[in-house]
Amino acid sequence: MFGFNLSRAAVLILSAAVLMTGCSGAKQPASPAETFQTYVKAFKKKDITTMKLLLSSESMKMHEQEAKAEGVTVDDIVKRDSLLGDDQTTVEYRNQKIDGDKASIEYKNQYGSWETVPFVRESNEWKIDKKSFADQIMQDMDQDSHRLDDEINQGRQP
């Protein structure tokens, strides 16, 4: 009987060691490039739920406000405002850059131009930061508008 208990104890100790080893190996979060790949796959499958999970909380708030203002669902906004064109079958990307809790990657849009997608780390996961993307577009438009105003005020034609 003592041998049986010893064998049983050995199995329990070995099992506990295996479980502890499996738990201690913390899974690395997906990189921005891997997050983008998952977004592309979800887009191709029309998996709006997964696409939403890959967006930053600020991006989701922006989409929720837009949906409320337009009287449509958030899913409608996420689908309409995706990073990819409806007929885009392949997506090239390059130049992943990580700087602390911010990151970016360049991808080729449906027109063949390279665009930068910003990412933000939230709860140790990389999320697509479309809010930052939209803010940058607005900032660029404001700068262009100011430059045009300056040229007009100086009597030059743009």
Side-chain angles (χ1 to χ4, degrees):
M1 178 146 172
F2 182 73
F4 176 75
N5 285 338
L6 187 58
S7 297
R8 190 172 175 190
V11 168
L12 288 174
I13 291 171
L14 183 60
S15 297
V18 168
L19 285 174
M20 288 174 48
T21 303
C23 294
S24 67
K27 182 183 172 193
Q28 290 288 350
S31 69
E34 292 167 332
T35 299
F36 185 70
Q37 289 172 344
T38 303
Y39 179 88
V40 170
K41 288 176 188 173
F43 173 80
K44 287 181 179 181
K45 293 179 182 176
K46 300 185 185 329
D47 181 357
I48 305 299
T49 301
T50 299
M51 291 171 66
K52 291 190 304 188
L53 289 172
L54 298 171
L55 298 178
S56 70
S57 60
E58 288 298 313
S59 298
M60 286 303 299
K61 286 178 191 173
M62 178 183 73
H63 286 327
E64 288 164 2
Q65 290 171 349
E66 193 174 349
K68 185 177 180 181
E70 294 180 20
V72 297
T73 68
V74 174
D75 286 9
D76 291 335
I77 299 296
V78 170
K79 183 180 177 184
R80 182 190 72 199
D81 292 349
S82 74
L83 298 171
L84 310 170
D86 287 335
D87 56 349
Q88 193 169 353
T89 56
T90 60
V91 181
E92 293 179 54
Y93 60 92
R94 66 182 185 191
N95 296 337
Q96 173 180 279
K97 296 177 185 170
I98 299 174
D99 184 17
D101 286 338
K102 303 268 185 195
S104 64
I105 194 168
E106 293 178 340
Y107 79 100
K108 196 176 277 190
N109 66 21
Q110 64 183 346
Y111 306 109
S113 299
W114 290 98
E115 290 191 41
T116 301
V117 177
F119 292 80
V120 63
R121 191 184 340 242
E122 293 180 351
S123 302
N124 204 31
E125 291 182 352
W126 287 107
K127 302 284 186 158
I128 296 170
D129 192 10
K130 289 175 73 178
K131 172 77 166 87
S132 173
F133 190 69
D135 289 347
Q136 184 62 48
I137 289 171
M138 292 302 291
Q139 184 179 2
D140 291 347
M141 288 174 55
D142 284 346
Q143 287 176 349
D144 289 346
S145 178
H146 289 302
R147 189 175 62 244
L148 182 61
D149 287 346
D150 289 344
E151 288 178 6
I152 289 170
N153 289 337
Q154 294 175 3
R156 293 185 283 162
Q157 288 189 342

